[in-house]
DNA sequence: TTAGGGTTAG
């Protein structure tokens, strides 16, 4: 009885167990389960062996507990032995609970095919069996197999639907995730906070405020508003930040009755993304005054905040105090943040030294941060070193070839540009085309590619852009020809710059909205567009928010929140 | 007494 009550006190439970003269299979199983939940996990298997030696026959719960333990320590060979036992001892292999936990063990250990085989051979299956496998497919990135299973599911409950919604969101398919969620609602299936978190995360990826408000309303109406639900609240903070509305993110943070490390970290990361470095630091200092311990993500957020504000000294201090004061050992990712901080602020040599002396093998993020800094500060020599490592670590990463080639282009080393481009072509790698999208007043999303003249309003857009350009020139704007990374004439460079997708999106935004213009770009905003939009915000008196693949830029009255540091 | 969850970096 006592054993069943509190598995957290499993050691104590074990002492009590030892005083029982003739423990029955259920008592044995309760203790085995206790260890399977709390650990040490191997102890549950040891106990099982004792139980067998005593001549006690297991029950189906015994195997469920054992599979749980094997899944927890990722010991598939032990799992296979237990699997064999279920067959040897007769009947257990066809038990529904045993089968389900066996699937769980295999997929946890990374043996999805074995889990599928168990599933296919089960005489009876229930929603749990199906959902386990659906989730396993979504986690392995195989959304087709997950979708096929889901379609074949005769009755779909909230958990199964949620598995699909979340799986799609986690696999960068936010539109499909929202589509599934709407179908789920149409089917009359209830929603809880887990479903909502999946939908909110999908909306965060879309970065569109219309969807953000829609998701918030649903959360409030379903009774899982941020005030009383810390998980939904944290997801909303992240969503609003990624949709460009850091003020609303902060409002959510403030109304939350309970906050945890996710809420704080999401808010810190949100501030960092929006260039509010001091707010991020302040929140970090608030956090360390609470009982909540910062974790590795918190530090990524704080260090990124320092990077975006060029706060080298503060970043250095935080990095050095991570382990000693907060017990978080810096990982390769934290080193990447530091390399980024040092490199972007122009300390390229020190950044390189840090990479060469860090205690673990530098990963792609570390070399990538160094390469990115070389592009900004025009250092082809160090760029070459970083790129050679990146070509090894990430042979298919087209971005690395582009960064290296752009570094050469900025230095006017056109032969090297050609060489790198040829190398990328030889590997069959193609550059992702740049595109931007912008919301109209009605909340409709319009997409623009560079040089794109396919929009129905393209002549009006072109006219607006020409007018704006003239006014900007009168105000001192000079096109930044260094932003064109092709070896062409200056006139051609000017022509190319004029139709960059973010400029088209800006012109459309000016024509079709009357408040803040919100633009999302799939790649990093170029220097000329940054300069252009800065000027436009001053001349037109309109605020512009651009989310590029790195962060947010808030343009207001001729200035950007990133302080021209991005 | 088996199934679904939130934050991260170039």
């Amino acid at each position: 009885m006592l054993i069943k009550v509190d598995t957290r006190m499993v050691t104590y439970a074990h002492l009590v167990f030892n005083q029982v003269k003739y423990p029955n299979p259920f008592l044995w199983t309760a203790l085995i389960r206790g260890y399977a939940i709390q650990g040490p996990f191997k102890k549950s298997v040891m106990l099982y062996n004792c139980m067998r030696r005593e001549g006690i026959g297991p029950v189906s719960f015994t195997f469920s507990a054992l599979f749980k333990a094997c899944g927890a320590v990722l010991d598939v060979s032990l799992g296979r032995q237990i699997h064999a036992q279920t067959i040897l001892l007769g009947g257990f292999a066809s038990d529904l609970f045993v089968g389900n936990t066996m699937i769980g063990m295999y997929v946890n250990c990374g043996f999805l095919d074995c889990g599928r085989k168990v599933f296919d051979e089960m005489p009876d299956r229930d929603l749990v069996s199906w959902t386990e496998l659906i989730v396993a497919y979504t986690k392995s990135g195989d959304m087709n197999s997950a979708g096929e299973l889901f379609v074949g599911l005769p009755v779909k409950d909230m958990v199964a639907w949620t598995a699909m919604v979340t799986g799609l969101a986690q696999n960068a398919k936010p539109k499909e995730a929202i589509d599934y969620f709407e179908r789920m609602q149409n089917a009359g299936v209830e929603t809880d906070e887990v479903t909502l978190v999946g939908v909110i995360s999908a909306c965060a990826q879309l970065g569109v405020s219309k969807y953000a408000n829609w998701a918030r309303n649903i959360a409030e109406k379903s009774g899982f508003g941020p005030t009383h639900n810390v998980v939904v609240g944290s997801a909303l903070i992240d969503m609003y930040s990624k949709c460009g509305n850091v003020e609303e993110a902060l409002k959510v943070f403030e109304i939350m009755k309970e906050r945890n490390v996710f809420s704080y970290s999401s808010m810190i990361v949100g501030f960092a993304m929006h260039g509010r470095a001091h707010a991020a630091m302040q929140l970090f200092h608030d956090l360390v005054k609470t009982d909540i311990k910062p974790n590795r993500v918190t530090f990524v957020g704080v260090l990124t905040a320092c990077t975006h504000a060029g706060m080298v000294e503060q970043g250095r201090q935080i990095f050095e105090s991570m382990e000693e004061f907060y017990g978080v050992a810096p990982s390769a990712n934290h080193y990447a943040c530091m390399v980024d901080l040092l490199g972007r602020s122009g300390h390229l040599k020190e950044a390189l030294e840090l990479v060469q002396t860090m205690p673990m093998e530098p990963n792609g993020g570390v070399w990538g941060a160094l390469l990115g800094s070389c592009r900004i500060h025009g250092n082809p020599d160090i760029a070459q070193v970083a790129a050679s490592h990146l070509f090894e670590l990430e042979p298919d990463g087209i971005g690395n070839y582009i960064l290296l080639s752009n570094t050469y282009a900025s230095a006017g080393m056109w032969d090297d540009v050609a060489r790198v481009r040829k190398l990328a072509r030889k590997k069959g790698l193609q550059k992702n085309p740049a595109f931007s999208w912008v919301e109209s007043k009605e909340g409709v999303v319009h997409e623009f590619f560079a040089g794109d003249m396919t929009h129905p309003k393209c002549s009006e857009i072109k006219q607006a852009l020409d007018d704006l350009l003239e006014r900007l020139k009168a105000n001192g704007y000079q096109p930044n020809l260094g932003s064109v990374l092709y070896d062409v004439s200056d006139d051609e460079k000017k022509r190319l710059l004029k139709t960059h997708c973010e400029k088209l999106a800006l012109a459309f935004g000016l024509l079709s909205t009357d408040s803040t213009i919100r633009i999302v770009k799939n790649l990093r905003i170029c220097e000329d567009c940054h300069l252009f939009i800065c000027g436009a915000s001053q001349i037109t008196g309109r605020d512009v928010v651009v989310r590029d693949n790195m962060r947010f830029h808030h343009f207001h009255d001729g200035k950007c929140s990133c302080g021209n540091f991005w």
Side-chain angles (χ1 to χ4, degrees), chain A residues 396-413:
Chain A
D396 298 328
I398 176 67
N400 301 324
Y401 289 87
I402 295 171
L403 278 174
L404 181 62
S405 137
N406 290 357
T407 312
Y408 287 136
S410 306
M413 298 161 69

Side-chain angles (χ1 to χ4, degrees), chain A residues 2-36:
Chain A
L2 186 64
I3 297 168
K4 213 171 177 181
V5 168
D6 199 343
T7 45
R8 284 169 301 170
M9 297 171 66
V10 63
T11 326
Y12 181 59
H14 202 154
L15 289 175
V16 176
F17 175 87
N18 285 339
Q19 287 169 16
V20 180
K21 222 168 184 184
Y22 302 108
N24 66 17
F26 294 99
L27 213 51
W28 278 97
T29 301
L31 193 59
I32 289 172
R33 186 168 177 274
Y35 281 115

Side-chain angles (χ1 to χ4, degrees), chain A residues 271-331:
Chain A
F271 279 137
M273 265 195 292
H274 288 271
R276 303 262 299 263
H278 295 285
M281 294 300 271
Q282 184 55 54
L283 195 59
F284 175 70
H285 290 303
D286 292 348
L287 162 65
V288 299
K289 281 182 211 140
T290 68
D291 292 335
I292 305 166
K293 298 269 168 277
N295 65 15
R296 53 188 200 279
V297 180
T298 323
F299 284 104
V300 168
V302 176
L303 292 173
T304 330
C306 294
T307 301
H308 290 163
M311 292 158 53
V312 182
E313 260 328 296
Q314 286 97 319
R316 239 195 279 258
Q317 277 171 20
I318 298 240
F319 183 73
E320 276 159 18
S321 67
M322 278 176 65
E323 187 154 20
E324 195 182 337
F325 287 104
Y326 306 106
V328 181
S331 68

